[in-house]
Amino acid sequence: MNGVEARVTRGLRVLRDDLWTVRAAPLPPSVWLRWLPHGLVWLVAFGTLLANGDFLADRYRLGTQFGVLCAVAQGVAVVLALWRPIPAWWLSTVVTVVVALVARGRLLQASHSGDPSWPWGPPGLIAQCLVLLLLSLRVPTRVSAEALALTALATYVLEGVIGGANYGPSGTLAVTLFAVVVLLGSALRGRREARHQLVEQTGITAEERARRTVLEERNRIARELHDVVAHHMSVISIQAQVAPHLVENPSRELRENLEGIRQNALEALTELRRVLGVLRSENPEDPYGLGPAGGGATPDAPQPTLDRLGSLIDNTRAAGLEVVSRVRGEAPAYPPGVQLSAYRIVQEALSNALRHAPGSHVRVDVVHLPQGLSLEVVNSRPRGPVRSSPGAGHGLLGMRERAVMLGGHVAAHPTLHGGFMVSAFLPKDGIPLPPTEDTDPPADLELIFPEPRPRSPTAGPAPGSTAAPLTGLSAGLPPGPSAGLPSGSAAEPPTGDETR
């Protein structure tokens, strides 16, 4: 019996926590209808108040004052269900039970014409259905089932246990309608919650995908920086080992110091190689064929430099793009980090052109300046169908992180002809250049705008237009993306769909 008593006590405690509360559960405005459902509830509450007052006073013979008071209480319960459905259900149920008990005595005294419905009159039945619907829309299904069960129990006690005379039984119909209403409300609530959870899960999935993409790109950058540091540590170790042989009769202190330097470099190199084994994947993917000729890079392959830009461009041409490359200036001795980041920026820009502009023309400009390295990759509008991209759209973020890490910057934006341009500058010594003030456009700046559509030979100029051609500056248009091109690198005016 202890186990049964414990379960009963636990069930009663749950029932008390669920139904003996006045916590608010307001009905939110509808997405499409806004406050229209609330207005309809008020309208139904007013209609049931009038109908219920007449029904209680005339058919149940409760008297005008008592009938109107009970009708008002049940109408208030309908409106209260918009904000506090559980207290509203209690109010509606208690009013119905009190009305049924008082009306039972009136029905036993004398017969009535037509024998009114009892214990649920039509107006009270509609009000209770609306209260249960609003309750099932706002509370968990368990609480709705408990309220339905208690309502059915009260109906059974009134009609089946207490009973009466001279009435039309309405208990079975009432309980059936209550069950349908609760099922409908619970289904709508479950659908709304499922949709809300789906939206939240979609947002979380998108955020996790974006975060994972950023972490993968940073991991890749860290792996490449590790390779650069490992190279220099290897050089330090070798130089420390060779240095004693370059000095005649080196002292013991010099040998010990050089041996300590070499030993520390070897230990650091060993730790770096352990980290390399964790960071590097065994089979790096190269879905667009932009890696070294012959497939993707192996885990132990050296990091690419500017000398391999030619192979990168050849692989891009083999993938279906028409690429023109230009190199200007004499290349100084760039640090490995600058060369690696420059290669990766050009690689990502070409990958984006393959993804989003198939069949386009691409121009790659590499300019060696005294201050650093300038890169520019410009593609025309796509000529073929654009397939859905498998990436998460964080390639530009990786470019900017690489450039900022070296004190440079990256700019990316569409061109006037539907293409895209990526320009980057990487300082040679890793020190960012001081900001410069805005100045007027240079005299030799070339602005490129689309050619006007061909007009009929007999057609005159458009109304309000002049015969003189408009240039970019005279038309009052802002400088386009081509304003960032180096002097002399502006493309020819486009013909047809071609954009240089």
Side-chain angles (χ1 to χ4, degrees):
M1 292 298 295
N2 292 335
V4 176
E5 291 179 357
R7 285 194 293 269
V8 172
T9 303
R10 190 182 307 113
L12 292 176
R13 186 180 298 111
V14 171
L15 191 63
R16 181 198 63 189
D17 295 339
D18 290 341
L19 297 180
W20 196 253
T21 178
V22 293
R23 60 177 176 268
L27 185 71
S30 174
V31 176
W32 302 105
L33 304 177
R34 302 304 296 166
W35 298 102
L36 180 60
H38 295 70
L40 292 177
V41 171
W42 279 85
L43 183 62
V44 172
F46 182 73
T48 56
L49 186 152
L50 297 179
N52 209 15
D54 181 70
F55 181 85
L56 297 180
D58 182 53
R59 303 303 301 274
Y60 281 178
R61 298 186 177 182
L62 300 181
T64 303
Q65 295 181 353
F66 185 70
V68 171
L69 179 63
C70 294
V72 170
Q74 200 151 27
V76 170
V78 174
V79 176
L80 183 62
L82 288 171
W83 292 275
R84 299 182 184 272
I86 294 179
W89 169 77
W90 276 113
L91 178 60
S92 178
T93 304
V94 170
V95 169
T96 300
V97 171
V98 171
V99 167
L101 292 176
V102 176
R104 175 178 177 273
R106 302 290 193 273
L107 295 176
L108 289 176
Q109 293 175 3
S111 60
H112 295 70
S113 59
D115 291 340
S117 301
W118 186 85
W120 293 96
L125 180 62
I126 295 175
Q128 186 75 1
C129 284
L130 188 55
V131 169
L132 285 174
L133 176 62
L134 294 174
L135 183 142
S136 59
L137 285 174
R138 301 307 303 155
V139 300
T141 305
R142 183 190 70 250
V143 181
S144 301
E146 293 169 354
L148 175 62
L150 290 181
T151 304
L153 179 61
T155 303
Y156 170 74
V157 171
L158 288 173
E159 185 177 348
V161 178
I162 298 177
N166 302 320
Y167 69 91
S170 60
T172 304
L173 176 62
V175 173
T176 303
L177 291 178
F178 296 158
V180 172
V181 166
V182 169
L183 287 176
L184 177 62
S186 299
L188 292 177
R189 178 179 178 274
R191 180 174 176 268
R192 184 183 67 248
E193 289 185 348
R195 182 186 301 174
H196 182 68
Q197 292 176 358
L198 179 61
V199 171
E200 288 185 349
Q201 188 63 36
T202 303
I204 293 174
T205 302
E207 292 177 0
E208 291 295 332
R209 186 184 299 112
R211 187 180 297 109
R212 184 172 63 251
T213 303
V214 173
L215 292 177
E216 289 175 356
E217 181 63 22
R218 291 180 177 178
N219 191 18
R220 182 180 179 185
I221 296 173
R223 184 170 64 243
E224 294 168 350
L225 288 178
H226 157 270
D227 294 346
V228 174
V229 175
H231 168 73
H232 288 290
M233 296 300 295
S234 300
V235 173
I236 292 174
S237 174
I238 295 173
Q239 290 177 342
Q241 184 177 8
V242 175
H245 302 284
L246 302 179
V247 180
E248 185 177 357
N249 297 324
S251 62
R252 183 173 61 83
E253 291 80 4
L254 178 60
R255 289 180 178 273
E256 290 178 355
N257 289 333
L258 292 175
E259 181 63 25
I261 294 174
R262 179 176 179 274
Q263 199 64 31
N264 290 332
L266 290 177
E267 292 178 0
L269 190 58
T270 302
E271 293 298 327
L272 287 173
R273 284 173 178 167
R274 290 175 182 171
V275 176
L276 177 65
V278 176
L279 293 178
R280 272 184 169 171
S281 59
E282 295 184 1
N283 295 308
E285 297 180 359
D286 191 16
Y288 295 97
L290 298 181
T298 59
D300 298 324
Q303 293 298 335
T305 60
L306 291 176
D307 297 336
R308 293 173 57 185
L309 280 179
S311 300
L312 176 65
I313 294 174
D314 291 340
N315 289 342
T316 308
R317 292 194 184 103
L321 284 184
E322 182 178 342
V323 184
V324 177
S325 62
R326 296 187 299 182
V327 180
R328 290 183 291 171
E330 184 177 354
Y334 291 112
V338 173
Q339 298 195 46
L340 176 60
S341 296
Y343 181 91
R344 294 303 187 194
I345 290 174
V346 175
Q347 182 185 38
E348 182 62 32
L350 293 176
S351 297
N352 289 338
L354 277 171
R355 294 189 189 101
H356 307 294
S360 62
H361 298 276
V362 183
R363 187 185 74 242
V364 179
D365 286 332
V366 180
V367 183
H368 301 285
L369 303 173
Q371 298 85 2
L373 178 62
S374 175
L375 303 171
E376 186 175 270
V377 181
V378 184
N379 64 268
S380 65
R381 67 164 64 97
R383 293 188 173 183
V386 180
R387 297 171 297 178
S388 59
S389 174
H394 291 273
L396 296 177
L397 178 60
M399 294 184 193
R400 292 190 177 97
E401 287 186 344
R402 291 179 183 276
V404 172
M405 177 183 62
L406 298 172
H409 60 269
V410 170
H413 48 75
T415 63
L416 292 175
H417 301 294
F420 202 80
M421 182 181 76
V422 175
S423 61
F425 178 78
L426 304 177
K428 181 175 64 175
D429 51 5
I431 301 177
L433 298 177
T436 58
E437 297 181 356
D438 293 338
T439 58
D440 295 333
D444 58 349
L445 176 66
E446 298 185 31
L447 299 178
I448 305 174
F449 296 94
E451 292 182 349
R453 295 182 178 178
R455 300 178 56 86
S456 173
T458 60
S465 63
T466 60
L470 293 177
T471 62
L473 296 177
S474 63
L477 298 175
S482 301
L485 296 176
S487 176
S489 64
E492 297 293 332
T495 60
D497 293 337
E498 181 178 4
T499 302
R500 298 294 298 171

